[in-house]
Amino acid sequence: MPLSHIRQKLNSNLNLSPSFGNIIKITPNIIMANGISPSVGDIVEFSSRDCKNLGVKRELQSADLGMVSAVEKDCFLVNPFSFVEGRKSGDFVRIVKAGLQIPVGEALKGRIINPLGTPIDGKGALNTTQKAPLLRSPIAAMKRGVIDEVFELGIKSIDGLLTCGKGQKIGIFAGSGVGKSSLMGMIVNGVKAQIKVIALIGERGREVPEFVYKNLNNDLTNTIIVVATSDDSPLMRKYGAFSAMAIAEFFKQQGKDVLFMMDSITRFAMAQREIGLALGEPPTSKGYPPSTLTILPQLMERAGKEEDAGSITAFFTILVEGDDLNDPIADQSRSILDGHIMLSRELTDFGIYPPINVLNSASRVMHDIITPAHTQAVRKFRRLYSLLKENEVLIRIGAYQKGSDPELDEALEKKPLMEEFLKQDLLEKWDFYKTREQLQVIMS
Ligand SMILES: Nc1ncnc2c1ncn2[C@@H]1O[C@H](COP(=O)(O)OP(=O)(O)O)[C@@H](O)[C@H]1O
Ligand SMILES: [Mg+2]
């Protein structure tokens, strides 16, 4: 055999000194193994005893991967990325040294991938060699840039009354079927961002193509979608969110303004609940173990604006059933986010789409980034609109006499214009400056 062949073999697929452990117990969600000593958070790969893929370097498959989640004196526990069916006691376990990495690069634009970076859109392999780690610490507090620029969404009611800034983190709170996916689609279509990363976590499989065709109009320009559906393992659903964030960070490091959008935080938290409970964590409020509340900031705090880099402006949807704002996930999210947009079922009954409840929503950075005249118009809009709400019943039954309250008269006169301002068709795009002008004209 020529020397070059031997060299090639040595350089390529063979790992000459792998050390292996063995599976000793399998339960529906957890695999117990011993023989090697990984640390918590390490990624391990399983292989069957017939040694088919032993030590062979190849693309990692979710079916064979797991994450070490607890370590005991002479054994350790692993959460599998896929399901445990087919695994046997005695199967081999090896540590994947590189940890969890995801392919990144320009080649991802326009693609739909799973949390480990495998394309699921049938358009072939990703043409990139760059990789980024899934898990990273958030932007250091002192490196965070101040939010001082408007992030234009192209949606009148948000740009006008709940203006968002580059690097802001916003929650979209809504019940099911109220219009989250539609609003997300409108934002993706209308936003002025160079890159858009969308994480669809825990949705039904059917909803994914529906979202792409119906809400995005099949237009994936500069868009990357990471999908973990409800039938994926809890670990896939959890890391789907981190994976999308890692991709957004890659583009942020290049100085781009990135839109990050995730549907939904609730399903992400539920995945962590499954993982935590299987490891024996105590359930607290609504069955959520404490680790659920700690992973929310670990994810959300990675968004933001960084000095000498670009920004990630993040929208997270949060399901609230029956407008229950005491839900632990909704509560914790609100404390981390710097803005919340409430969608209300009641508005859909009046045909107001997008059904944004402006009075219950807030953008905490807004007044630092808009002009004084704009601020004044917003305050007036809110004041008049809440007056209308307060006196709704009186007005409906005709008990209000015109002339008794000049402010309410003004509100009544402007009501049709204000309602018109809140409405926007799915495919309509509004320029930020046009929106601002319109608002100021209505309120003058
Ligand atoms: N801007 C809008 N214009 C018209 N109809 C809308 C709009 N937003 C939502 N809808 C209606 O509401 C329905 C549910 O919206 P969807 O976004 O799928 O809800 P969710 O994602 O919260 O379950 C849609 O099928 C659509 O008919
Ligand atoms: Mg939806």
Side-chain angles (χ1 to χ4, degrees):
M1 189 190 274
L3 195 60
S4 63
H5 278 203
I6 298 172
R7 275 220 184 95
Q8 206 178 354
K9 279 214 155 157
L10 282 173
N11 280 337
S12 66
N13 282 335
L14 287 173
N15 179 354
L16 295 176
S17 59
S19 60
F20 289 94
N22 296 95
I23 293 180
I24 51 176
K25 184 179 168 185
I26 302 172
T27 66
N29 295 313
I30 297 282
I31 292 176
M32 189 187 274
N34 65 8
I36 43 176
S37 24
S39 36
V40 171
D42 276 353
I43 298 300
V44 293
E45 187 183 26
F46 302 108
S47 42
S48 58
R49 296 206 70 169
D50 58 21
C51 305
K52 251 197 239 143
N53 53 22
L54 206 63
V56 175
K57 234 188 205 168
R58 65 203 161 87
E59 278 303 305
L60 297 172
Q61 300 290 326
S62 66
D64 302 324
L65 292 180
M67 178 181 268
V68 178
S69 44
V71 175
E72 290 173 22
K73 192 165 162 247
D74 40 25
C75 67
F76 56 93
L77 303 179
V78 179
N79 279 113
F81 269 97
S82 177
F83 295 96
V84 295
E85 278 75 12
R87 293 268 158 252
K88 292 192 180 67
S89 173
D91 277 359
F92 295 117
V93 186
R94 144 187 110 81
I95 300 176
V96 180
K97 285 217 183 66
L100 260 194
Q101 293 200 323
I102 179 155
V104 287
E106 297 291 317
L108 265 72
K109 289 181 183 172
R111 303 299 303 267
I112 308 178
I113 59 176
N114 81 0
L116 297 177
T118 311
I120 54 169
D121 51 8
K123 292 188 198 159
L126 292 176
N127 185 18
T128 179
T129 50
Q130 282 171 290
K131 296 208 165 194
L134 268 199
L135 294 180
R136 269 213 195 171
S137 40
I139 306 171
M142 296 316 289
K143 284 200 84 186
R144 267 182 197 277
V146 182
I147 301 178
D148 54 5
E149 250 181 294
V150 172
F151 189 68
E152 299 173 30
L153 295 185
I155 298 176
K156 264 191 292 179
S157 47
I158 303 182
D159 280 346
L161 300 164
L162 300 161
T163 320
C164 300
K166 281 183 190 167
Q168 192 176 359
K169 307 182 286 279
I170 303 119
I172 299 177
F173 294 74
S176 54
V178 177
K180 285 182 304 302
S181 302
S182 310
L183 180 61
M184 284 174 57
M186 285 174 82
I187 295 177
V188 174
N189 286 330
V191 77
K192 281 210 178 141
Q194 292 142 318
I195 296 286
K196 309 159 203 179
V197 182
I198 304 172
L200 298 177
I201 306 298
E203 299 267 292
R204 282 156 286 186
R206 169 183 68 76
E207 288 174 290
V208 176
E210 209 177 277
F211 180 74
V212 175
Y213 295 120
K214 220 175 93 186
N215 301 113
L216 299 188
N217 238 337
N218 223 352
D219 177 11
L220 292 185
T221 324
N222 294 332
T223 305
I224 299 150
I225 305 186
V226 181
V227 175
T229 49
S230 53
D231 53 337
D232 278 317
S233 69
L235 214 56
M236 286 288 260
R237 278 178 271 146
K238 172 178 173 181
Y239 286 104
F242 288 106
S243 168
M245 191 56 94
I247 294 171
E249 279 167 346
F250 169 80
F251 288 103
K252 179 195 75 179
Q253 290 308 348
Q254 299 184 336
K256 302 233 162 72
D257 289 319
V258 184
L259 166 77
F260 177 89
M261 196 160 248
M262 173 169 161
D263 190 17
S264 70
I265 281 293
T266 311
R267 302 252 165 78
F268 167 73
M270 284 173 172
Q272 179 61 25
R273 175 166 69 185
E274 281 178 50
I275 295 169
L277 293 180
L279 286 172
E281 264 192 82
T284 56
S285 162
K286 276 210 175 167
Y288 286 108
S291 64
T292 327
L293 300 183
T294 50
I295 67 161
L296 292 180
Q298 281 168 11
L299 174 73
M300 292 171 170
E301 289 288 348
R302 282 168 66 175
K305 191 168 159 187
E306 188 173 341
E307 272 173 22
D308 307 323
S311 64
I312 299 176
T313 310
F315 290 82
F316 302 96
T317 71
I318 295 135
L319 280 166
V320 281
E321 287 316 327
D323 293 330
D324 174 17
L325 291 181
N326 296 322
D327 178 85
I329 301 305
D331 212 32
Q332 169 80 346
S333 304
R334 283 225 288 183
S335 70
I336 306 167
L337 299 168
D338 24 45
H340 53 273
I341 293 174
M342 300 280 175
L343 301 190
S344 129
R345 207 179 293 278
E346 197 193 329
L347 291 173
T348 65
D349 297 340
F350 290 104
I352 296 187
Y353 281 108
I356 297 172
N357 187 333
V358 173
L359 295 180
N360 285 348
S361 307
S363 163
R364 289 192 203 164
V365 304
M366 158 171 206
H367 295 295
D368 300 330
I369 53 176
I370 60 175
T371 60
H374 187 173
T375 302
Q376 233 169 20
V378 174
R379 295 223 168 105
K380 186 159 177 192
F381 189 107
R382 284 180 166 265
R383 166 98 188 119
L384 295 187
Y385 203 67
S386 65
L387 265 181
L388 285 175
K389 268 250 128 6
E390 253 170 53
N391 296 289
E392 200 176 14
V393 179
L394 282 184
I395 297 165
R396 277 240 191 101
I397 59 171
Y400 174 72
Q401 293 268 318
K402 227 179 167 186
S404 14
D405 177 355
E407 214 180 3
L408 187 51
D409 288 342
E410 188 184 1
L412 277 170
E413 183 199 317
K414 296 202 155 112
K415 184 168 181 250
L417 290 173
M418 292 200 290
E419 277 176 354
E420 200 47 48
F421 185 78
L422 296 178
K423 288 185 196 169
Q424 186 166 336
D425 275 342
L426 281 173
L427 296 177
E428 234 182 313
K429 268 188 218 176
W430 272 72
D431 177 70
F432 177 78
Y433 297 96
K434 213 171 110 198
T435 298
R436 190 171 72 182
E437 195 189 309
Q438 172 105 354
L439 178 68
Q440 286 167 357
V441 166
I442 296 175
M443 286 302 128
S444 63

